[in-house]
Amino acid sequence: MRNKLVLEHVSKEFGDGDTSVKVLDNVSLQVKAGEFVAVVGPSGSGKSTFLSIAGALLSPTKGRIIIGDQEVGKQSAKQMNKIRLDHIGFIFQSSNLIPYLTVRDQLLLISKLAGNPKRTSEERADHLLKRLGLTHRSNAYPEVLSGGERQRVAIARAWMNNPELILADEPTASLDSERGRSVVQMLADEVKLHQKAAVMVTHDLRMLDLCDRVIYIEDGKLSEQPIQH
Ligand SMILES: Nc1ncnc2c1ncn2[C@@H]1O[C@H](COP(=O)(O)OP(=O)(O)O)[C@@H](O)[C@H]1O
Ligand SMILES: [Mg+2]
């Protein structure tokens, strides 16, 4: 099956000279269509750094990143923005919603930025809001939503442009275990249903049975862990 994300010999150092820290040390990973990969490891081990590099939000010190069929770093900043908008859905620990936009407009904005037509965007937004149980919240502003609702809006927003790669950094951190599990289940379903690829950083080991692969990160190295279903 086709690779949706490839990292080849990626290293990342912050700072230079005596104060430099090597967070990733020559790591490689391939994620195929239909795969849901979990990344686990101690706090400060480089999970967020890894995900930011995988999503082309941060440049590696060394190594290559290929998203879909495009190698990162060969494009202009503008082209890179377009690749991110069209091909990657980001979900962060806190939902990062825009306070002055309604739930529905958060979704429409992302679609507009990608240059999609209004009519189809509205249909997609309404479809996703329904699927995530948010139809009754369409016209609400983020401040009145519960933590679980906000995170579901963030997921709907991440899916708005139908990205082939989903990157989630501790998406369940602000949720209780039941809501957290339902969020991860939605990610797993989306990956299987539409043959997407997803990488999720998590500290919640109870979620790992919903993933296909578990990658452990420590001391700058990745190691694949056996999964217990
Ligand atoms: N922009 C940065 N500048 C300097 N050091 C950083 C930066 N971002 C992360 N780090 C360091 O890199 C290490 C890994 O951080 P991070 O990727 O956030 O870990 P995790 O997400 O696993 O908790 C930490 O030691 C952190 O302090
Ligand atoms: Mg982190």
Side-chain angles (χ1 to χ4, degrees):
M1 245 189 299
R2 210 162 80 75
N3 283 324
K4 295 272 180 185
L5 172 69
V6 176
L7 285 90
E8 274 178 4
H9 305 296
V10 166
S11 296
K12 181 67 185 176
E13 270 178 59
F14 288 110
D16 45 20
D18 291 349
T19 55
S20 87
V21 197
K22 194 164 210 175
V23 178
L24 298 173
D25 183 8
N26 191 17
V27 303
S28 298
L29 181 72
Q30 302 183 345
V31 185
K32 292 180 166 53
E35 275 188 335
F36 186 16
V37 176
V39 174
V40 299
S43 177
S45 58
K47 302 182 296 296
S48 295
T49 301
F50 178 80
L51 208 69
S52 300
I53 290 175
L57 293 170
L58 185 71
S59 300
T61 310
K62 276 190 205 151
R64 294 208 311 159
I65 294 99
I66 299 152
I67 296 168
D69 51 14
Q70 312 230 44
E71 182 172 349
V72 173
K74 305 271 178 203
Q75 301 83 8
S76 67
K78 198 174 164 191
Q79 286 169 323
M80 220 34 250
N81 277 335
K82 181 82 177 133
I83 292 176
R84 275 195 293 267
L85 267 171
D86 289 344
H87 298 286
I88 310 178
F90 290 99
I91 304 165
F92 298 101
Q93 177 170 348
S94 58
S95 49
N96 289 313
L97 301 179
I98 299 169
Y100 52 82
L101 290 181
T102 64
V103 164
R104 192 168 184 264
D105 284 343
Q106 313 264 347
L107 273 54
L108 294 177
L109 173 66
I110 292 296
S111 194
K112 192 175 176 187
L113 286 171
N116 297 326
K118 186 159 182 246
R119 180 73 187 277
T120 46
S121 302
E122 286 176 346
E123 281 169 11
R124 172 124 181 113
D126 292 336
H127 164 77
L128 284 173
L129 291 172
K130 187 169 175 202
R131 190 169 151 205
L132 295 177
L134 289 165
T135 302
H136 65 298
R137 292 307 223 172
S138 296
N139 297 313
Y141 289 90
E143 76 171 1
V144 303
L145 303 177
S146 70
E149 285 172 334
R150 278 183 205 153
Q151 204 55 330
R152 276 169 16 233
V153 176
I155 291 176
R157 183 180 58 180
W159 291 353
M160 191 58 200
N161 295 342
N162 205 17
E164 52 187 320
L165 176 63
I166 296 163
L167 300 175
D169 196 351
E170 306 208 12
T172 64
S174 61
L175 306 177
D176 63 45
S177 65
E178 194 182 330
R179 282 181 206 286
R181 195 165 172 88
S182 89
V183 158
V184 178
Q185 183 72 60
M186 282 174 198
L187 290 174
D189 292 346
E190 178 73 5
V191 168
K192 295 301 162 206
L193 212 58
H194 299 293
Q195 287 296 297
K196 307 217 156 159
V199 180
M200 173 181 71
V201 168
T202 185
H203 60 273
D204 191 344
L205 304 181
R206 290 169 301 184
M207 304 296 175
L208 299 184
D209 62 323
L210 295 171
C211 301
D212 301 307
R213 295 165 64 194
V214 178
I215 307 291
Y216 184 74
I217 175 168
E218 191 169 24
D219 298 329
K221 297 286 189 191
L222 304 185
S223 56
E224 189 127 11
Q225 302 285 302
I227 193 156
Q228 278 143 19
H229 281 287

